Amino acid sequence: MYQKEMKVRQATNQIVMNCADIDIITASYVPEGDEEIHATGFNYQNEDEKVTLSFPSTLQPGTGTLKIDFVGELNDKMKGFYRSKYTTPSGEVRYAAVTQFEATDARRAFPCWDEPAIKATFDISLVVPKDRVALSNMNVIDRKPYPDDENVVEVKFARTPVMSTYLVAFVVGEYDFVETRSKDGVCVRVYTPVGKAEQGKFALEVAAKTLPFYKDYFNVPYPLPKIDLIAIADFAAGAMENWGLVTYRETALLIDPKNSCSSSRQWVALVVGHELAHQWFGNLVTMEWWTHLWLNEGFASWIEYLCVDHCFPEYDIWTQFVSADYTRAQELDALDNSHPIEVSVGHPSEVDEIFDAISYSKGASVIRMLHDYIGDKDFKKGMNMYLTKFQQKNAATEDLWESLENASGKPIAAVMNTWTKQMGFPLIYVEAEQVEDDRLLRLSQKKFCASGPYVGEDCPQWMVPITISTSEDSSHAKMKILMDKPEMNIVLKDVKPDQWVKLNLGTVGFYRTQYSSAMLESLLPGIRDLSLPPVDRLGLQNDLFSLARAGIISTVEVLKVMEAFVNEPNYTVWSDLSCNLGILSTLLSHTDFYEEIQEFVKDVFSPIGERLGWDPKPGEGHLDALLRGLVLGKLGKAGHKATLEEARRRFKDHVEGKQILSADLRSPVYLTVLKHGDGTTLDIMLKLHKQADMQEEKNRIERVLGATLSPELIQKVLTFALSEEVRPQDTVSVIGGVAGGSKHGRKAAWKFIKDNWEELYNRYQGGFLISRLIKLSVEGFAVDKMAGEVKAFFESHPAPSAERTIQQCCENILLNAAWLKRDAESIHQYLLQRKASPPTA
């Protein structure tokens, strides 16, 4: 039953609303102080997800109440009002009823005006079995027996503030909780599956620290009396920021002190930080329309790091931002099939498409650059002006720029429009000349393209905040400039001939840098002797790798630079290096010298592997644990003999219950034994999966199953992916793991997707999981004709919300093929020559 107080602005005999998969039984309009008028016709426009209610007489201007009686379906599509399957501690299968409305699915739960700018207050009542927990955005104000059934109660919640439909939420199920009060007096609860309240404590602690942090940062109090964080079994996204009732995948919220690994803790902290930021930025002030989605997501994806850095300084999280978000966004944004941060959105199916790395990661990266350009003090001042001015209202990108411009006195809109309204980013080419005691720099900017140097007519230009540092003080900028033209000359005073000069201190500016060979030569020793800060070492290597991928320099040059990282201690630098070597390994799996690149990987990673060993040493922390897992996994996968033997020994002890593997070692050990194992190993892994009580452990196993090598075992893993054993949102990572595991796996996964397309598409109807599935399974191909095959398949099996992803994948396949043609031979020669005369350390 839905009742809405509304205003008729001009006389009409029709009301048009959003509505999907709902049958209206009766509808009527009651003008204030007048007779009820019953609707006589319901005309559903299913394509547009709308319904038109027709009335026999004209509704006159004025206020009144619209009443609708309807039935809907508790679906299994992880959107709208849906059912989520869980197993009770005694092993019985049951269902919870939960919601996921962003972007356009509130209309599946009740007829409404389902657009972010049409805000209202909501009075919600739920009629539920009395032994179930019922939650909504606000606190419960009344709970009374239901007249017709003694097993059912009616739960009434307080009225919400003025808010958008996509943030409304309700959950009915069986849960335990832990609670605390934040120092601002807000009641914070984390709801967990029954019997697992303990696993909610970590997230509770993070949430209780985070709320006051944001209140101080924005200088605006959290506006609701309570906030609940709840773990949902079947959940498509990572989490959803519903106001006052934030929903999460279990793996994004639950931490078991004994069985959770360090990366899971970090993930939970980031996701909690992200969703709680939305309580202000998104919920209190909401984007005008989906075109400005990036503001919500980019901002929350940036500030989640600020918040985690505040709660856990030992995570060195800002360095991790560069490899997790910044480089990922640059990779996508260098493609011809990228898109600007601000995208005009028409039909709801187009909204799903923009929940991608551009909205989140490029959005976060340009906000990080903007924050650095403005400075923290003025940035905070501008944020407060913006939130205060637009609270309970809607705003557009320009509104934020205006507030920040007023606070800082800098040309924010002019600078930022070059980053949000056009796609791509610049490559800054720089060369230097010593003139007496000064260094003269010549800078030029051109759009960076994944396919090589930009060759179009009018090259887009950016207004680029550029920082320059020297070896005299590598952690502070010697000079800051705003590059607002295609070419610039700069004089750096008092720089000695033997000092190096580096652009983009801290890898904050969203651009890549290409140095003249002399400048690059002078920077490389800073990698070996660690005099360059970690995030600058990472950025330098990543830029070079991208330049090689685009054919601007040769891949062999980058391999030589990678060898300079032998003394590297920093986890994130290794993580980025490992990622790039992974991309190169995948590329070279199409050649007959794949084994040689594995030898190279072993050479690069074995010194750090030996230094770290297998067991934590006293005084080690979070980052050491992450690094050990990364390095052992890399060595094990490449078949490093000592690592493989130790992994097998520890795995055996783990399975026999003699010595349980610590959570941080499980992924690398599982991966290693599977890749070099047989059918028995796979059966043991599947048994461990079945026995695992924690979703994190199930996911950990699901992600590595694709490492298995024999064709019949690969088939077994793919069949398992669609079985009842795997939660629907996790099928994607199993199939993706197979595609990324080996050359045969890639072919088998693609065939499997084609053969099971109906079922897969039906399962994820349009949501972003379908895009992720396609991306993971086809982007490793490197033969021109595969791009044609992928394109042809989706022409006859359309997936509208994944259209852009499909174009990006085809472009990537062609780029891989070109890269292989261009550099395979020289890489092979280099690897052979290394073997003949190993480098001296």
Side-chain angles (χ1 to χ4, degrees):
M1 174 77 192
Y2 172 84
Q3 268 188 299
K4 169 78 183 134
E5 290 170 23
M6 54 178 270
K7 196 178 219 161
V8 176
R9 296 232 163 126
Q10 58 193 66
T12 175
N13 59 356
Q14 287 188 334
I15 292 177
V16 182
M17 308 174 76
N18 289 114
C19 162
D21 301 334
I22 276 177
D23 289 321
I24 292 174
I25 303 162
T26 61
S28 63
Y29 177 70
V30 186
E32 207 171 306
D34 212 336
E35 294 289 295
E36 187 164 359
I37 307 167
H38 286 274
T40 45
F42 313 128
N43 178 16
Y44 297 95
Q45 294 97 13
N46 292 337
E47 197 43 40
D48 290 334
E49 303 184 339
K50 286 179 180 164
V51 64
T52 302
L53 311 178
S54 306
F55 292 87
S57 58
T58 306
L59 312 183
Q60 296 302 329
T63 52
T65 306
L66 178 67
K67 295 180 177 178
I68 302 178
D69 248 339
F70 63 92
V71 284
E73 165 197 21
L74 196 60
N75 71 58
D76 61 354
K77 299 277 185 274
M78 293 191 284
K79 61 184 187 181
F81 195 16
Y82 71 92
R83 59 187 188 270
S84 165
K85 186 167 143 186
Y86 64 98
T87 312
T88 64
S90 64
E92 186 192 337
V93 169
R94 290 188 182 168
Y95 291 91
V98 306
T99 57
Q100 167 60 36
F101 291 164
E102 190 177 26
T104 55
D105 291 315
R107 62 192 68 174
R108 287 172 203 283
F110 51 89
C112 56
W113 287 277
D114 197 9
E115 295 185 0
I118 306 177
K119 288 190 165 187
T121 58
F122 293 85
D123 299 326
I124 292 171
S125 294
L126 298 173
V127 177
V128 302
K130 66 178 183 196
D131 60 351
R132 294 291 189 272
V133 171
L135 301 169
S136 184
N137 305 79
M138 298 297 287
N139 47 309
V140 175
I141 49 172
D142 191 22
R143 190 185 163 96
K144 53 177 189 256
Y146 193 63
D148 312 338
D149 184 342
E150 62 180 29
N151 294 315
V152 172
V153 292
E154 182 178 345
V155 182
K156 192 173 176 203
F157 299 91
R159 174 170 293 183
T160 70
V162 175
M163 63 186 281
S164 303
T165 47
Y166 79 89
L167 294 164
V168 173
F170 23 93
V171 174
V172 183
E174 297 177 284
Y175 299 94
D176 284 346
F177 67 86
V178 283
E179 77 173 335
T180 187
R181 274 196 185 277
S182 73
K183 69 172 198 250
D184 314 328
V186 179
C187 176
V188 187
R189 284 184 175 181
V190 174
Y191 282 86
T192 72
V194 174
K196 295 187 177 177
E198 193 66 13
Q199 294 178 18
K201 284 188 170 163
F202 178 74
L204 185 71
E205 187 188 316
V206 177
K209 275 188 189 168
T210 296
L211 285 174
F213 172 73
Y214 286 146
K215 178 191 164 233
D216 294 345
Y217 196 85
F218 298 132
N219 200 8
V220 173
Y222 173 72
L224 308 186
K226 64 95 176 172
I227 189 159
D228 297 327
L229 291 72
I230 184 166
I232 305 292
D234 293 322
F235 199 75
M240 174 63 210
E241 71 266 20
N242 318 300
W243 216 356
L245 176 57
V246 186
T247 45
Y248 294 79
R249 269 190 191 201
E250 289 187 3
T251 48
L253 191 67
L254 304 180
I255 290 295
D256 172 345
K258 278 201 289 295
N259 292 301
S260 287
C261 59
S262 304
S263 58
S264 293
R265 278 171 204 276
Q266 182 175 302
W267 174 237
V268 168
L270 284 168
V271 180
V272 169
H274 180 100
E275 304 309 332
L276 295 193
H278 277 311
Q279 306 301 307
W280 285 262
F281 208 97
N283 301 8
L284 182 64
V285 177
T286 310
M287 70 243 148
E288 185 67 42
W289 178 243
W290 299 109
T291 302
H292 304 281
L293 169 83
W294 85 273
L295 251 195
N296 258 11
E297 296 307 346
F299 185 84
S301 301
W302 168 76
I303 205 165
E304 68 184 63
Y305 283 86
L306 198 69
C307 158
V308 168
D309 193 45
H310 164 79
C311 295
F312 303 100
E314 71 277 13
Y315 285 10
D316 182 29
I317 203 77
W318 278 116
T319 305
Q320 296 193 54
F321 175 89
V322 177
S323 72
D325 283 275
Y326 171 100
T327 55
R328 201 171 131 241
Q330 287 193 339
E331 207 170 294
L332 184 52
D333 206 25
L335 298 177
D336 294 341
N337 285 296
S338 181
H339 63 87
I341 281 180
E342 290 186 63
V343 193
S344 56
V345 173
H347 193 271
S349 71
E350 295 171 13
V351 181
D352 281 333
E353 219 182 351
I354 56 173
F355 282 82
D356 67 357
I358 298 293
S359 295
Y360 283 72
S361 300
K362 183 181 180 182
S365 300
V366 299
I367 285 174
R368 174 170 167 256
M369 172 170 75
L370 173 67
H371 173 265
D372 187 66
Y373 172 59
I374 294 177
D376 192 59
K377 191 164 145 261
D378 286 347
F379 187 85
K380 272 167 125 157
K381 195 164 98 188
M383 289 307 312
N384 172 262
M385 283 158 70
Y386 170 80
L387 287 170
T388 311
K389 182 174 177 183
F390 293 101
Q391 56 185 322
Q392 301 203 345
K393 299 192 188 84
N394 296 75
T397 304
E398 295 70 47
D399 297 315
L400 178 61
W401 297 163
E402 193 185 327
S403 297
L404 291 169
E405 205 155 290
N406 288 338
S408 68
K410 290 183 173 174
I412 305 303
V415 171
M416 293 310 286
N417 286 342
T418 66
W419 297 97
T420 66
K421 291 189 188 298
Q422 59 184 3
M423 71 178 204
F425 58 91
L427 171 65
I428 308 283
Y429 179 72
V430 52
E431 47 189 22
E433 187 187 331
Q434 188 73 24
V435 181
E436 294 175 353
D437 291 341
D438 304 335
R439 191 80 53 94
L440 171 68
L441 300 183
R442 291 189 198 85
L443 274 57
S444 59
Q445 60 159 307
K446 273 242 166 84
K447 181 180 188 304
F448 178 72
C449 302
S451 54
Y454 182 83
V455 285
E457 277 301 295
D458 303 326
C459 186
Q461 294 293 314
W462 285 264
M463 289 176 78
V464 194
I466 288 182
T467 50
I468 303 166
S469 59
T470 69
S471 43
E472 189 181 10
D473 181 356
S474 62
S475 53
H476 290 95
K478 187 173 175 77
M479 187 181 240
K480 290 186 176 191
I481 56 159
L482 184 65
M483 183 173 181
D484 54 4
K485 40 184 177 288
E487 294 179 353
M488 272 180 111
N489 288 348
I490 296 162
V491 176
L492 283 181
K493 294 274 183 208
D494 304 325
V495 179
K496 298 185 180 67
D498 61 345
Q499 287 180 349
W500 52 250
V501 168
K502 184 181 178 297
L503 263 60
N504 205 0
L505 173 71
T507 317
V508 174
F510 199 73
Y511 56 89
R512 291 201 180 281
T513 308
Q514 185 186 359
Y515 294 97
S516 66
S517 45
M519 286 185 83
L520 184 62
E521 280 304 308
S522 70
L523 282 165
L524 294 182
I527 292 177
R528 264 185 199 277
D529 66 18
L530 310 178
S531 59
L532 272 171
V535 71
D536 291 282
R537 302 195 291 270
L538 187 161
L540 194 58
Q541 177 268 131
N542 197 285
D543 278 353
L544 288 169
F545 188 77
S546 298
L547 290 168
R549 214 174 164 177
I552 296 170
I553 62 174
S554 95
T555 307
V556 169
E557 279 186 59
V558 186
L559 291 173
K560 289 177 180 165
V561 170
M562 286 177 166
E563 292 182 270
F565 283 87
V566 282
N567 308 317
E568 182 57 58
N570 185 284
Y571 159 70
T572 314
V573 178
W574 275 114
S575 165
D576 196 68
L577 196 64
S578 159
C579 233
N580 290 338
L581 276 171
I583 291 168
L584 198 56
S585 288
T586 301
L587 183 78
L588 298 178
S589 67
H590 298 274
T591 67
D592 53 7
F593 60 91
Y594 179 65
E595 281 315 308
E596 269 85 353
I597 192 74
Q598 298 314 302
E599 288 302 316
F600 181 83
V601 170
K602 287 187 269 193
D603 286 349
V604 170
F605 278 85
S606 51
I608 178 83
E610 277 163 32
R611 285 204 298 276
L612 284 167
W614 279 79
D615 298 303
K617 300 176 183 64
E620 280 189 358
H622 176 79
L623 292 162
D624 302 289
L626 292 179
L627 180 57
R628 180 172 288 108
L630 173 82
V631 171
L632 292 174
K634 204 72 180 168
L635 286 168
K637 194 176 174 187
H640 182 256
K641 197 160 170 292
T643 307
L644 176 56
E645 284 166 3
E646 183 63 9
R648 282 178 172 152
R649 189 183 70 72
R650 289 183 182 236
F651 182 67
K652 186 169 177 288
D653 285 353
H654 176 70
V655 174
E656 291 170 359
K658 284 185 192 157
Q659 178 75 50
I660 297 300
L661 278 166
S662 76
D664 284 314
L665 287 177
R666 287 181 204 171
S667 280
V669 167
Y670 293 170
L671 177 78
T672 303
V673 297
L674 264 173
K675 175 147 189 193
H676 307 281
D678 53 17
T680 317
T681 323
L682 180 61
D683 289 341
I684 295 172
M685 286 308 300
L686 293 174
K687 193 171 149 207
L688 286 178
H689 180 277
K690 206 176 177 63
Q691 291 166 350
D693 175 42
M694 224 190 149
Q695 198 52 35
E696 178 188 324
E697 176 75 355
K698 284 191 190 293
N699 284 167
R700 192 182 281 131
I701 294 168
E702 287 159 3
R703 279 200 291 266
V704 298
L705 290 174
T708 190
L709 288 177
S710 86
E712 58 276 20
L713 297 182
I714 283 174
Q715 230 25 67
K716 187 173 176 176
V717 171
L718 288 167
T719 310
F720 173 75
L722 273 179
S723 71
E724 283 288 306
E725 295 290 317
V726 178
R727 292 229 174 118
Q729 72 262 25
D730 299 321
T731 297
V732 174
S733 52
V734 181
I735 300 173
V738 170
S742 61
K743 189 177 175 181
H744 180 79
R746 198 157 39 243
K747 288 183 181 149
W750 172 233
K751 183 178 184 313
F752 185 78
I753 285 176
K754 289 187 295 186
D755 294 346
N756 295 279
W757 178 250
E758 297 284 299
E759 183 179 345
L760 287 163
Y761 188 66
N762 192 28
R763 179 183 278 203
Y764 303 121
Q765 277 184 333
F768 65 89
L769 283 171
I770 203 84
S771 298
R772 187 170 295 170
L773 176 69
I774 295 167
K775 180 177 157 56
L776 287 171
S777 51
V778 304
E779 69 176 355
F781 288 114
V783 185
D784 287 352
K785 75 170 202 304
M786 271 313 300
E789 188 183 309
V790 170
K791 188 166 175 263
F793 178 77
F794 290 110
E795 272 166 7
S796 57
H797 301 79
S801 70
E803 219 167 286
R804 186 179 276 126
T805 300
I806 294 160
Q807 290 163 348
Q808 288 164 350
C809 288
C810 293
E811 183 179 347
N812 265 323
I813 294 171
L814 296 173
L815 288 167
N816 286 342
W819 187 12
L820 205 54
K821 277 198 208 71
R822 198 174 54 233
D823 277 2
E825 193 38 47
S826 60
I827 295 172
H828 192 191
Q829 288 311 316
Y830 175 69
L831 295 173
L832 289 175
Q833 171 207 324
R834 266 184 96 255
K835 229 169 167 174
S837 54
T840 49

